[in-house]
């Protein structure tokens, strides 16, 4: 038996809150098994409410109620209120004037394995309240449009919890009998309860400061477990970089006197932007050159920036309701992407973001869980922290930026901040600010917020030599998605450049317009023609430059055309994209050869194209490495109507091996020229050199060459930074290598006390194409270092196997599917959020052959029949089968 049928919440049913909470005074007497929470709420009836109900209904889950007091002098009895499993209804509250309600309840953080509300992590008490975790702490109007000023007092044993943190500024502290102490915090800004946080534990602090443009000194503090204090310097520098960038680019200055970050080992997400007290997964704080890769360093800076940027785009202005989640997340992801691009390589950052979008979000758009960036309905809001809301949401904001230009977008954001500071608003309010600031009409553009699915642009062209004109015809179409059979045309910015046959830039001059190096075409109809004039020769067409819209592009191109664009396109994204299309077309052709048992032969145009790339000088070595990288197996799978994971793997590996054989000398020279010890250096040059040499090593280790295998082994043994050590171990694990087993053992012995490094060890083995991988994964489940209660470890082993190893997860006998279903069922009651996120590997079952479809749906049905299935898991599994 499962729980009673979960209720669906609909956007159309939104109503304003019946009551407001103006201020909250919280008192916690902290204990890992029996925390006493006292909340003193000052409330009043909302005059805008049209409800005839006069009872006050508060939400609360897993709470033991002790007492309720009205206006400080009337203790209520069970005749004055009703308590259910998820609510507290108080009768006969005052309607004409504000009133005070004091509630006492207790909670048990130790048994809270779902990691929502107040829970225990390595002896530290911490909270996670987004989206609806605060109701697991005390009874409240747990909705984002109820904003209040919070004062919090924490009382705890001084020995066990010497550090007591909450939102805002510290206003008082003191000692109590019995080795107890207390600290009071005050947040002067009204906020919804999802932004509340507290942390208590034995923590060390790295402290620094930041001076704002107006001359205010802000104290910056990063709290970690004592053994991690030496891994915080990069996080601190990242925070200072983000604060400076936000002032310079958006004019946003920090508003409190103190900004704190706490690193927590057990966390369902990446981080949380609680006002002034950000709680982070350790993965996105801790870094030292020997324990963190270059990618880790970049991600840490990006996530720290993301949560800091939320101070304005999420905290000062928050969501009216959870359907507006992309209001804060889409805008803030766009901001952190731009920040990282400015800090590193814009070309590389854009390519990495689009890769994520096209391999994962496009699949979400094409599956049974497709939803708009502003969803219409949900059963469990935690399930809508999706790539669609975040990454596609960021692309929608980026399109507005493209249409308005940087200056126009800044005018719009300034107006948005000025209009709505201190408010809970909607996506519509954001778009209206952009319109008003720029005197434009974005009525049609709004469809991006309500229509699901990935639009398909079909592009054709004709060149008129006599008239020296080029006519570009673009058609748009969006396939049906659940609940949306018919789609209306969208407003899509399509950035275009033209290139003459000699490689020079051709003028982009539309009829009646002026010439430019590139132009933004505004597609608003199902089909439109755009005529370019003054072209003395037929140009190559560079369409969707910078990936100017989150769409699929259908355009017939020969291998020769793609090779030409790979050599000559001045747009860094489209140059890389030409290479991906070139290789992708060839690999998909080879897939058919594998399926039909034909001999595999690589078209020499691929070898020549890569040889030309290798022969050119490159200032941005990270971008150079991306030009040399093959499309991933996941991306290639998206190009097939029926996915054949075995054929894709064989075809791609053949291409990689053949390129290595033909380009061995150039790859070896490039590896040796860039193989040097630059440990601790994270400038663009050092990062680029590590990236390009390890790309070369990956190619070279496909060869059965003992000397090259020795290079990998030697790099592993002598590496002084995690980037080089992991790169070497990776090629040994992913290719036959004499030292594979020993190096895996040595790596574990070296790093067994560093949890984040051991996560890499688990993930590397789980994603390996080696024949024994499934047996290895099963054995690792019983490893002493594996813990099903630690989300990072679950993602590292179970997540990596199911989402990053298509070859073995989709084994024809279905063992991968059964394994994943077993783990989801085990996680269902332990941590429903993590369990529901693991299901995604099964949701695309319609894309596979009939046999695999049957095996995958059987496991989804088994999950659905689980006793006491959680709302989180039920929603994903049921929609996947619909």
């Amino acid at each position: 038996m499962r729980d009673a049928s979960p209720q669906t919440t609909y956007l159309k049913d939104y109503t304003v809150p019946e009551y407001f909470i103006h201020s909250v005074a919280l008192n916690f007497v902290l204990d890992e098994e029996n925390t006493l929470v006292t909340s003193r709420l000052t409330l009043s009836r909302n005059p805008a409410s049209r409800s005839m109900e006069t009872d006050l209904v508060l939400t609360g889950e897993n709470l033991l109620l002790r007492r309720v007091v009205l206006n400080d002098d009337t203790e209520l009895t069970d005749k004055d209120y009703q308590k259910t499993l998820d609510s507290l209804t108080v009768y006969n509250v005052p309607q004409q004037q504000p009133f005070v309600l004091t509630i006492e309840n207790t909670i048990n953080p130790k048994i809270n394995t779902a990691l929502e509300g107040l829970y225990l992590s390595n002896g530290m008490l911490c909270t996670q309240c987004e989206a609806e975790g605060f109701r697991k702490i005390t009874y409240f109007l747990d909705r984002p449009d109820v904003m209040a000023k919070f004062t919090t007092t924490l009382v705890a044993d001084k020995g066990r919890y010497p550090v007591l943190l909450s939102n805002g500024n510290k206003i008082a502290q003191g000692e109590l009998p019995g080795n107890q102490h207390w600290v009071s915090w005050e947040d002067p800004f009204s906020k919804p309860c999802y932004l509340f946080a507290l942390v208590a534990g034995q923590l060390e602090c790295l402290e620094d400061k930041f001076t704002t443009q107006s001359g205010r000194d802000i104290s910056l503090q990063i709290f970690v477990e004592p053994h991690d204090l030496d891994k915080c310097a990069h996080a601190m520098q990242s925070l200072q970089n983000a604060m400076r960038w936000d002032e310079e680019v958006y004019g946003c200055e920090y508003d409190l006197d103190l900004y704190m970050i706490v690193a927590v080992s057990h966390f369902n997400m990446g981080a949380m932007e609680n006002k002034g007290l950000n709680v982070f997964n350790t993965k996105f704080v801790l870094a030292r050159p020997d324990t963190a890769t270059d990618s880790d360093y970049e991600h840490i800076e990006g996530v720290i920036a993301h949560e800091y940027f939320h101070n304005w785009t999420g905290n000062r202005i928050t969501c009216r309701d959870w359907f507006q989640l992309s209001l804060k997340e889409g805008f803030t992801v766009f901001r952190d992407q731009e920040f990282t691009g400015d800090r590193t390589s814009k070309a590389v950052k854009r390519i990495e973001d689009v890769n994520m979008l096209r391999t994962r979000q496009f699949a979400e758009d094409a599956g049974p869980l497709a939803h708009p960036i502003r969803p219409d309905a949900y059963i469990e809001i935690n399930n809508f922290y999706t790539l669609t809301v975040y990454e596609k949401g960021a692309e929608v904001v980026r399109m507005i930026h493209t249409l308005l230009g940087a200056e126009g977008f800044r005018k719009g954001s300034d107006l948005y901040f000025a209009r709505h500071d201190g408010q809970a608003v909607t996506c519509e309010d954001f778009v209206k600010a952009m319109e008003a600031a720029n005197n434009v009409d974005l009525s049609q553009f709004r469809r991006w917020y309500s229509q699901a699915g990935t639009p398909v642009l079909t592009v054709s062209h004709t060149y008129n030599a006599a008239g020296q004109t080029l006519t570009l015809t673009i058609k748009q179409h969006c396939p049906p998605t659940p609940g949306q059979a018919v789609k209306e045309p969208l407003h899509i910015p399509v950035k275009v450049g033209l290139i003459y046959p000699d490689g020079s830039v051709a003028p982009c001059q539309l009829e009646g317009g002026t010439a430019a190096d590139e132009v933004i075409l505004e597609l608003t109809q199902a089909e439109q023609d755009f005529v370019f004039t003054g072209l003395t020769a037929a140009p190559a067409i560079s369409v969707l430059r910078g990936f100017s819209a989150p769409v699929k592009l259908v355009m017939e191109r020969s291998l020769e055309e793609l090779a030409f664009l790979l050599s000559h396109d001045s747009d860094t994204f489209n140059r890389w994209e030409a290479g991906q299309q070139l290789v992708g077309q060839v690999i998909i052709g080879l897939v058919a050869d594998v399926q039909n048992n034909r001999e595999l032969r690589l078209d020499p145009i691929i070898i020549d194209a890569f040889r030309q790339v290798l022969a050119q000088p490159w200032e941005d070595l990270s971008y150079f490495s991306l030009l040399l990288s093959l499309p991933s197996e996941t991306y290639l799978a998206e190009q097939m109507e029926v996915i054949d994971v075995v054929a894709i793997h064989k075809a791609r590996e053949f291409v990689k091996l053949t390129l290595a054989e033909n380009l061995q000398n150039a790859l070896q020279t490039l590896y040796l020229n860039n193989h040097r010890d630059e440990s601790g250096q994270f400038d663009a040059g050092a990062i680029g050199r590590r990236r390009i040499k390890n790309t070369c090593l990956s190619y070279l280790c496909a060869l059965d060459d003992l000397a090259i295998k020795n290079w990998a082994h030697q790099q592993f043994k002598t590496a002084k930074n995690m980037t080089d050590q992991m790169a070497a171990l990776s090629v040994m694990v992913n290719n036959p290598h004499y030292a594979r087993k020993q190096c895996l053992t040595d790596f574990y012995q070296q790093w067994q006390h560093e949890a984040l490094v051991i996560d890499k060890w688990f993930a590397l083995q789980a994603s390996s194409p080696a024949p024994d991988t499934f047996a290895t994964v099963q054995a690792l489940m019983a490893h002493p270092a594996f813990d099903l209660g630690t989300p990072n470890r679950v993602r590292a082993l179970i997540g990596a196997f199911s989402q990053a190893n298509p070859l073995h997860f989709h084994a024809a006998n279905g063992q991968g599917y059964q394994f994943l279903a077993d783990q989801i069922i085990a996680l269902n009651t332990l941590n429903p959020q993590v369990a529901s996120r693991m299901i995604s590997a099964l949701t695309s079952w319609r894309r596979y052959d009939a046999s695999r479809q049957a095996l995958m749906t059987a496991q989804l049905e088994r999950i659905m029949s689980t006793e006491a299935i959680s709302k989180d898991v039920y929603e994903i599994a049921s929609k996947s089968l619909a």
Side-chain angles (χ1 to χ4, degrees):
M1 292 288 294
R2 65 165 176 263
D3 293 342
S5 297
Q7 297 296 308
T8 299
T9 302
Y10 295 94
L11 172 59
K12 63 182 176 61
D13 293 337
Y14 171 82
T15 57
V16 300
E18 295 171 25
Y19 291 87
F20 287 133
I21 302 177
H22 303 286
S23 64
V24 186
L26 293 169
N27 185 283
F28 290 83
V29 181
L30 295 167
D31 181 85
E32 67 175 40
E33 295 186 39
N34 188 34
T35 287
L36 173 64
V37 185
T38 304
S39 64
R40 187 176 187 274
L41 314 177
T42 302
L43 305 99
S44 68
R45 181 76 179 183
N46 179 5
S49 173
R50 296 182 179 180
S51 172
M52 301 303 292
E53 292 292 331
T54 58
D55 299 335
L56 171 65
V57 182
L58 305 175
T59 52
E61 296 178 11
N62 304 323
L63 308 176
L64 181 61
L65 181 64
R66 291 182 51 159
R67 62 195 297 251
V68 183
V69 178
L70 181 64
N71 286 333
D72 296 329
D73 57 11
T74 304
E75 183 159 348
L76 304 185
T77 68
D78 55 9
K79 294 181 180 179
D80 302 311
Y81 60 80
Q82 181 184 28
K83 178 184 177 300
T84 68
L85 290 175
D86 57 9
S87 69
L88 174 67
T89 301
V90 184
Y91 308 132
N92 301 317
V93 297
Q95 298 294 296
Q96 303 305 319
Q97 67 279 332
F99 60 96
V100 174
L101 195 69
T102 302
I103 302 170
E104 286 186 9
N105 64 270
T106 58
I107 50 179
N108 185 342
K110 189 173 184 178
I111 64 172
N112 182 3
T113 59
L115 312 185
E116 296 176 285
L118 180 66
Y119 65 92
L120 199 63
S121 173
N122 288 355
M124 180 196 322
L125 288 170
C126 54
T127 56
Q128 169 57 21
C129 295
E130 187 176 356
E132 296 177 338
F134 194 78
R135 64 188 60 184
K136 296 183 178 181
I137 294 175
T138 191
Y139 293 98
F140 208 78
L141 292 173
D142 189 357
R143 47 188 290 170
D145 56 354
V146 174
M147 303 174 71
K149 292 186 178 180
F150 281 68
T151 302
T152 305
T153 299
L154 308 177
V155 182
D157 180 271
K158 194 172 182 178
R160 297 199 65 180
Y161 307 109
V163 174
L164 301 175
L165 309 174
S166 192
N167 311 86
N169 298 315
K170 185 188 294 187
I171 57 173
Q173 59 185 337
E175 305 290 323
L176 293 170
N179 200 38
Q180 299 270 299
H181 70 139
W182 61 274
V183 179
S184 289
W185 296 83
E186 182 181 62
D187 186 349
F189 296 94
S190 293
K191 67 170 180 280
C193 64
Y194 84 84
L195 291 173
F196 171 79
L198 77 78
V199 175
Q202 297 180 0
L203 300 166
E204 296 289 340
C205 176
L206 175 67
E207 190 161 6
D208 207 328
K209 70 174 185 176
F210 178 82
T211 303
T212 68
Q213 287 182 336
S214 67
R216 295 172 51 242
D217 283 339
I218 311 298
S219 177
L220 309 179
Q221 297 177 336
I222 299 179
F223 291 89
V224 294
E225 294 178 43
H227 61 275
D228 288 324
L229 191 60
D230 63 343
K231 305 185 191 78
C232 298
H234 176 66
M236 181 63 79
Q237 184 62 59
S238 298
L239 175 57
Q240 292 165 329
N241 292 340
M243 296 177 81
R244 186 174 301 108
W245 186 90
D246 211 19
E247 288 185 341
E248 294 172 352
V249 178
Y250 282 91
C252 291
E253 184 173 298
Y254 187 60
D255 47 17
L256 293 171
D257 300 326
L258 174 65
Y259 189 90
M260 298 174 286
I261 289 173
V262 182
V264 175
S265 299
H266 297 77
F267 207 70
N268 285 337
M269 301 184 187
M272 178 58 206
E273 71 269 16
N274 320 291
K275 181 69 179 184
L277 175 60
N278 287 188
V279 179
F280 270 67
N281 189 321
T282 51
K283 181 177 181 180
F284 297 108
V285 174
L286 306 179
R288 206 174 58 202
D290 60 329
T291 63
T293 64
D294 294 339
S295 178
D296 292 331
Y297 270 78
E298 182 179 303
H299 286 146
I300 287 169
E301 185 168 52
V303 174
I304 282 182
H306 178 97
E307 305 308 332
Y308 174 75
F309 297 156
H310 265 314
N311 186 61
W312 278 91
T313 51
N315 296 5
R316 288 286 287 263
I317 306 175
T318 195
C319 302
R320 185 196 72 177
D321 54 74
W322 289 119
F323 296 100
Q324 318 298 329
L325 181 59
S326 197
L327 171 77
K328 73 182 184 81
E329 295 301 348
F331 191 8
T332 306
V333 169
F334 169 73
R335 276 152 49 76
D336 82 55
Q337 289 175 349
E338 291 293 285
F339 166 76
T340 299
D342 286 347
R343 293 281 306 155
T344 56
S345 163
K346 280 188 175 295
V348 170
K349 178 59 177 167
R350 188 64 185 138
I351 290 167
E352 290 175 343
D353 291 338
V354 174
N355 250 338
M356 159 84 77
L357 191 81
R358 295 199 304 197
T359 56
R360 296 181 58 195
Q361 193 281 320
F362 278 15
E364 194 168 89
D365 257 352
L369 301 174
H371 57 277
I373 66 169
R374 184 183 57 210
D376 299 317
Y378 62 79
I379 292 174
E380 172 51 65
I381 185 55
N382 287 324
N383 287 332
F384 280 86
Y385 283 72
T386 61
L387 290 160
T388 298
V389 167
Y390 278 66
E391 270 67 30
K392 185 175 181 179
E395 293 298 318
V396 171
V397 173
R398 183 179 295 277
M399 284 189 289
I400 295 176
H401 187 278
T402 299
L403 290 167
L404 301 181
E407 184 178 343
F409 188 85
R410 172 64 190 269
K411 286 167 58 181
S413 65
D414 285 349
L415 181 59
Y416 173 67
F417 295 145
R419 275 184 175 180
H420 300 297
D421 187 13
Q423 298 177 12
V425 301
T426 67
C427 297
E428 177 70 11
D429 293 314
F430 175 76
V431 178
K432 282 181 177 179
M434 292 291 165
E435 286 179 317
N438 293 277
N439 193 28
V440 296
D441 182 1
L442 295 175
S443 298
Q444 184 179 358
F445 187 86
R446 284 172 169 79
R447 292 173 184 167
W448 280 103
Y449 286 91
S450 57
Q451 285 191 181
T454 304
V456 178
L457 300 190
T458 303
V459 179
S460 59
H461 63 278
T462 56
Y463 175 70
N464 183 320
Q468 297 188 343
T469 61
L470 173 76
T471 301
L472 198 64
T473 301
I474 307 179
K475 300 177 183 178
Q476 63 165 298
H477 164 71
C478 191
T481 54
Q484 292 185 345
V486 179
K487 306 298 176 73
E488 296 180 284
L490 294 165
H491 184 177
I492 305 174
V494 182
K495 193 176 289 187
V496 173
L498 304 174
I499 308 163
Y500 278 136
D502 64 357
S504 63
V505 175
C508 289
Q509 184 170 2
L510 293 169
E511 286 182 316
T514 57
D517 288 348
E518 64 180 17
V519 66
I520 298 170
L521 307 179
E522 296 192 35
L523 182 66
T524 57
Q525 302 170 26
E527 180 176 346
Q528 278 175 259
D529 289 338
F530 300 91
V531 180
F532 296 85
T533 62
L535 295 166
T536 58
I541 308 167
S542 175
V543 181
L544 209 65
R545 290 186 140 201
F547 200 69
S548 59
V551 301
K552 293 182 178 179
L553 183 64
V554 176
M555 186 174 182
E556 287 189 15
R557 296 189 190 274
S558 67
L559 297 182
E560 289 74 18
E561 287 177 290
L562 292 169
F564 174 82
L565 290 170
L566 176 59
S567 293
H568 298 290
D569 201 324
S570 60
D571 182 78
T572 52
F573 177 84
N574 271 13
R575 186 171 196 172
W576 168 82
E577 171 69 354
Q580 296 290 289
Q581 292 290 326
L582 174 65
V583 179
Q585 281 191 31
V586 170
I587 292 178
I588 293 300
L590 290 169
V591 164
D593 293 336
V594 171
Q595 292 170 329
N596 291 283
N597 295 314
R598 293 192 289 261
E599 182 182 359
L600 301 185
R601 297 189 179 191
L602 184 61
D603 192 312
I605 196 171
I606 300 290
I607 299 169
D608 291 341
F610 272 65
R611 184 174 284 117
Q612 287 186 37
V613 171
L614 283 164
Q616 296 177 50
W618 297 94
E619 183 176 339
D620 187 343
L621 295 179
S622 291
Y623 177 65
F624 180 24
S625 73
L626 287 178
L627 290 177
L628 291 177
S629 299
L630 301 180
S632 69
E633 292 182 23
T634 304
Y635 174 76
L636 293 166
E638 286 299 307
Q639 315 310 307
M640 297 187 67
E641 187 173 340
V642 178
I643 298 171
D644 186 335
V645 292
V646 174
I648 289 172
H649 180 73
K650 287 182 178 179
R652 187 179 183 277
E653 289 299 295
F654 170 76
V655 171
K656 185 176 182 180
L657 173 61
T658 306
L659 287 171
E661 289 171 340
N662 283 270
L663 305 172
Q664 181 174 351
N665 290 337
L667 292 169
Q668 288 183 172
T669 300
L670 196 55
Y671 173 82
L672 294 171
N673 286 345
N674 290 282
H675 184 45
R676 61 190 76 173
D677 178 20
E678 295 180 292
S679 302
Q681 294 185 37
F682 292 95
D683 58 277
I687 292 170
R689 284 186 286 275
R690 285 191 288 269
R691 193 162 187 168
I692 193 64
K693 79 165 182 188
N694 288 321
T695 297
C696 292
L697 186 64
S698 177
Y699 272 105
L700 292 167
C701 282
L703 303 169
D704 187 14
D705 187 312
L706 181 59
I708 293 171
K709 290 181 179 181
N710 288 340
W711 285 2
H713 193 194
Q714 188 66 17
Q715 178 172 314
F716 173 82
K717 291 189 297 183
T718 60
K720 296 178 182 177
N721 63 79
M722 184 53 63
T723 301
D724 284 348
Q725 190 176 29
M726 274 300 296
L729 185 60
S730 177
V731 296
M732 287 190 282
V733 169
N734 293 332
N735 298 279
H737 195 285
Y738 63 83
R740 175 179 184 263
K741 186 175 180 180
Q742 185 60 51
C743 287
L744 281 168
T745 300
D746 292 347
F747 188 86
Y748 182 82
Q749 291 299 321
Q750 181 181 1
W751 298 113
Q752 58 184 306
H753 301 300
E754 295 287 349
L756 296 176
V757 179
I758 296 305
D759 285 340
K760 300 178 191 299
W761 182 79
F762 275 101
L764 181 59
Q765 295 175 82
S767 57
S768 170
D772 61 349
T773 292
F774 184 68
T776 298
V777 169
Q778 288 181 306
L780 288 172
M781 288 290 296
H783 193 282
F786 182 77
D787 175 18
L788 201 64
T790 303
N792 282 353
R793 199 53 49 91
V794 171
R795 287 186 281 260
L797 181 58
I798 302 168
F801 175 70
S802 60
Q803 297 171 24
N805 196 337
L807 178 66
H808 291 303
F809 175 67
H810 292 287
N813 60 10
Q815 61 186 10
Y817 309 146
Q818 182 175 346
F819 167 81
L820 179 61
D822 289 345
Q823 310 319 315
I824 291 169
I825 291 168
L827 284 162
N828 174 64
T829 53
L830 185 68
N831 191 324
Q833 275 195 50
V834 173
S836 67
R837 288 187 172 93
M838 291 293 111
I839 302 178
S840 62
L842 293 169
T843 60
S844 58
W845 57 269
R846 293 171 179 82
R847 299 292 312 283
Y848 294 87
D849 59 82
S851 175
R852 286 181 171 86
Q853 285 189 20
L855 293 166
M856 294 170 85
T857 55
Q859 296 305 323
L860 283 168
E861 288 164 356
R862 183 162 75 94
I863 292 168
M864 282 288 292
S865 67
T866 300
E867 190 167 343
I869 189 172
S870 66
K871 287 195 303 180
D872 309 63
V873 172
Y874 171 81
E875 180 171 27
I876 302 298
S878 61
K879 288 181 177 179
S880 298
L881 288 168

